[in-house]
Amino acid sequence: MERKKPDAHLGLRIDRTLHDKLFYVARYEGRSGNGQVLYLIRQCIQAFEAQHGPIPLPEEDDKAE
């Protein structure tokens, strides 16, 4: 049985104007602020991998160090 990986936390400091505009766009698109950030990160990774190929991830044993 495969163990589910726990979610990771990312703290982010941004200026108030950028924050407010991000949340405006998120509401407009029907997402939470967190959902919008995740959407944008996924879009960035998808574009990167389309250009450069899949990003290799470390094996489970390597993460324990």
Side-chain angles (χ1 to χ4, degrees):
M1 182 176 191
E2 190 174 326
R3 289 176 29 191
K4 184 176 178 180
K5 298 176 187 174
D7 289 342
H9 175 79
L10 173 66
L12 180 66
R13 291 185 187 268
I14 59 174
D15 66 71
R16 175 56 61 182
T17 300
L18 187 59
H19 174 275
D20 292 347
K21 289 182 178 187
L22 173 69
F23 275 74
Y24 182 93
V25 172
R27 281 191 306 274
Y28 182 86
E29 295 187 352
R31 295 185 187 94
S32 67
N34 187 72
Q36 185 70 10
V37 170
L38 290 174
Y39 170 78
L40 294 169
I41 291 170
R42 287 184 188 110
Q43 293 292 359
C44 176
I45 291 170
Q46 183 179 30
F48 181 92
E49 289 185 323
Q51 184 175 359
H52 302 284
I55 298 170
L57 299 176
E59 297 295 324
E60 276 300 312
D61 293 341
D62 294 344
K63 291 180 183 179
E65 295 176 9

